[in-house]
Amino acid sequence: MEPAVSLAVCALLFLLWVRVKGLEFVLIHQRWVFVCLFLLPLSLIFDIYYYVRAWVVFKLSSAPRLHEQRVRDIQKQVREWKEQGSKTFMCTGRPGWLTVSLRVGKYKKTHKNIMINLMDILEVDTKKQIVRVEPLVTMGQVTALLTSIGWTLPVLPELDDLTVGGLIMGTGIESSSHRYGLFQHICTAYELVLADGSFVRCTPMENSDLFYAVPWSCGTLGFLVAAEIRIIPAKKYIKLRFEPVRGLEAICDKFTRESQKPENHFVEGLLYSLHEAVIMTGVMTDEAEPSKLNSIGNYYKPWFFKHVENYLKTNREGLEYIPLRHYYHRHTRSIFWELQDIIPFGNNPIFRYLFGWMVPPKISLLKLTQGETLRKLYEQHHVVQDMLVPMKCLPQALHTFHNDIHVYPIWLCPFILPSQPGLVHPKGDEAELYVDIGAYGEPRVKHFEARSCMRQLEKFVRSVHGFQMLYADCYMDREEFWEMFDGSLYHRLRKQLGCQDAFPEVYDKICKAARH
């Protein structure tokens, strides 16, 4: 009873403080207080609700029966929009603050909102090695279910709250992508409701143009209602090797070589400065040396990027066995390293042991409570970007990141990019090895100005035939955007499927220079 009383007293004092100082002052200057007292408990409640709901729905096998009815309801909404004169564009009715992207598009207020309540895993077929899911299923749901029955996705992007729909309509990547490609490349079928309310299923063999055009289209070709995704047998642990590397040339050489080795199931790099990095390589295994077992996902454990940094500071190599699900969500608790800017003492052992079980706060709740002033501050003094560039351009790219924004740590994740139709593909006719360079944090370059610095970085990425992940702030004009992405198939299908009057163009939906 005493802890509850103490918490209530703290909450009361906090509310009094807010009344004196004003909510905006507290949210900007003492955000950690609000996050710790309110958002962490609320996030925990959200997690418990969705976990229990997913478990009950799957055990009762109610999802497949409800799915068809829900799809018919979406078709009905689209047809009603058409009968009413198609006066505005359509978009999903999911609130903008619920997405993992830091951007909150204003189009939700002006477009026709189509309610899509599709958040269930429909079927796991171990014979065909396929899982069929609805678009709002999260990676947390997927790993909880699949790993419990001995299966996993070949590419399972990091954060728990990432949804299947977001990873298909945008993109997704993980440290296994050097073998399997991006998230879209492990998908075998999409089911959509189109602009006229009709239902269509597309695969590489059936309606193949639509199948290849959907990824990266951000919901501007139709409403995704289900997807089929490959699954592979899982093992209990990841045998993970840590190797500190110094010198930019040595870092790039080592990272490239490890990314080209098929025996490495996982490859990842964390760059702590332009000349210091730790390269990690892993393989799945069912056996583990007890003395080297590290359940890094336990709430009281150090944040993963800090744990990795210790290998660099002590200049030693390491070998650990990490439980599979812990590895998949190794960056989740600290939101990569973003949480250190929100809760500066979050990696302190005392905080981890007392409150680590509630971490992390939901990104969606952080967005919902940030306010316009804080949003503008983040926009001008904070960078969250993933740039995808050919591996051969890695040294030049890291120099550019260092000079233009100077954000560390930097996440390095290799992936193979097949030569397939669609918005994103290599310049040539053959598959090419690329690398995702992830920069998340406060720029330390002098006189940082978000628009000019990011446009300079985008210009470099275009020059090497690279791509910018579309969840992030994008400052390109329309011509520059379509110089980066191949819109030939996309524009042909938008005209063919009647999307031009039904959905905004992808550029208008995501770029800051467009109408939001």
Side-chain angles (χ1 to χ4, degrees), residues 14 17 25-41 339-346 351 355 361 366 374 378:
F14 175 75
W17 186 34
F25 176 89
V26 174
L27 289 180
I28 293 173
H29 298 285
Q30 304 294 339
R31 188 156 171 75
W32 65 268
V33 179
F34 182 77
V35 170
C36 291
L37 286 180
F38 291 96
L39 295 194
L40 287 181
L339 198 56
Q340 67 181 352
D341 292 333
I342 299 170
I343 307 177
F345 47 83
F351 180 86
F355 304 107
L366 289 171
L374 189 59
Y378 262 81

Side-chain angles (χ1 to χ4, degrees), residues 252-377:
C252 294
D253 180 63
K254 173 71 173 175
F255 187 72
T256 302
R257 282 189 286 108
E258 296 296 345
S259 302
Q260 292 170 337
K261 292 179 180 178
E263 62 267 28
N264 285 332
H265 296 170
F266 303 93
V267 178
E268 174 184 27
L270 292 184
L271 198 71
Y272 291 92
S273 74
L274 187 59
H275 301 287
E276 295 178 308
V278 178
I279 308 299
M280 289 159 280
T281 57
V283 295
M284 279 192 191
T285 178
D286 280 324
E287 306 297 328
E289 300 175 45
S291 62
K292 296 180 179 177
L293 182 61
N294 184 4
S295 299
I296 193 68
N298 288 341
Y299 69 87
Y300 51 83
K301 289 282 189 173
W303 289 347
F304 185 71
F305 79 97
K306 288 293 188 182
H307 174 67
V308 173
E309 190 176 18
N310 283 333
Y311 284 102
L312 186 67
K313 289 179 176 178
T314 57
N315 197 31
R316 61 185 176 89
E317 297 183 8
L319 174 65
E320 297 177 359
Y321 293 84
I322 300 177
L324 180 63
R325 191 159 188 248
H326 289 222
Y327 176 79
Y328 279 143
H329 300 291
R330 62 200 179 280
H331 293 298
T332 294
R333 287 189 302 123
S334 57
I335 317 178
F336 281 84
W337 29 92
E338 289 278 65
L339 198 56
Q340 67 181 352
D341 292 333
I342 299 170
I343 307 177
F345 47 83
N347 194 47
N348 183 284
I350 297 174
F351 180 86
R352 294 201 311 266
Y353 274 90
L354 292 178
F355 304 107
W357 50 278
M358 290 193 291
V359 168
K362 289 280 185 189
I363 294 175
S364 54
L365 294 180
L366 289 171
K367 285 170 61 179
L368 181 64
T369 59
Q370 69 179 0
E372 187 64 19
T373 302
L374 189 59
R375 187 193 64 77
K376 288 180 179 179
L377 281 172

Side-chain angles (χ1 to χ4, degrees), residues 1-171:
M1 192 68 182
E2 287 183 5
V5 173
S6 299
L7 189 61
V9 170
C10 289
L12 181 61
L13 291 173
F14 175 75
L15 291 173
L16 289 172
W17 186 34
V18 168
R19 184 175 179 84
V20 173
K21 287 289 189 178
L23 181 60
E24 187 174 67
F25 176 89
V26 174
L27 289 180
I28 293 173
H29 298 285
Q30 304 294 339
R31 188 156 171 75
W32 65 268
V33 179
F34 182 77
V35 170
C36 291
L37 286 180
F38 291 96
L39 295 194
L40 287 181
L42 194 58
S43 297
L44 183 67
I45 293 169
F46 268 55
D47 283 337
I48 292 171
Y49 167 75
Y50 281 111
Y51 178 82
V52 172
R53 181 189 181 280
W55 184 85
V56 170
V57 166
F58 196 79
K59 287 295 181 184
L60 297 178
S61 299
S62 62
R65 293 195 299 273
L66 294 173
H67 174 75
E68 292 182 6
Q69 177 57 47
R70 288 169 179 163
V71 171
R72 286 195 292 271
D73 180 62
I74 294 166
Q75 290 179 284
K76 180 183 176 184
Q77 291 179 70
V78 172
R79 287 170 182 149
E80 287 175 352
W81 164 84
K82 199 169 181 65
E83 289 168 2
Q84 292 167 3
S86 312
K87 296 176 182 178
T88 62
F89 289 139
M90 291 183 289
C91 67
T92 66
R94 190 184 188 211
W97 60 268
L98 274 175
T99 64
V100 172
S101 167
L102 294 180
R103 182 180 59 249
V104 180
K106 295 178 181 177
Y107 62 86
K108 293 278 185 182
K109 297 178 181 178
T110 57
H111 293 5
K112 169 66 175 177
N113 282 213
I114 304 297
M115 302 310 298
I116 298 180
N117 183 29
L118 299 170
M119 56 183 71
D120 297 318
I121 299 174
L122 301 174
E123 180 186 8
V124 179
D125 189 330
T126 56
K127 290 184 178 179
K128 294 181 180 178
Q129 298 195 2
I130 292 292
V131 60
R132 183 166 173 256
V133 300
E134 292 179 331
L136 295 181
V137 165
T138 68
M139 290 301 98
Q141 284 176 262
V142 171
T143 50
L145 177 67
L146 290 183
T147 55
S148 70
I149 58 175
W151 293 84
T152 187
L153 299 183
V155 176
L156 207 153
E158 170 66 35
L159 299 178
D160 277 13
D161 291 340
L162 292 171
T163 64
V164 167
L167 294 168
I168 290 170
M169 291 298 184
T171 194

Side-chain angles (χ1 to χ4, degrees), residues 388-401:
L388 316 180
V389 301
M391 184 68 80
K392 62 189 177 186
C393 302
L394 180 57
Q396 184 184 1
L398 292 179
H399 268 296
T400 302
F401 269 73

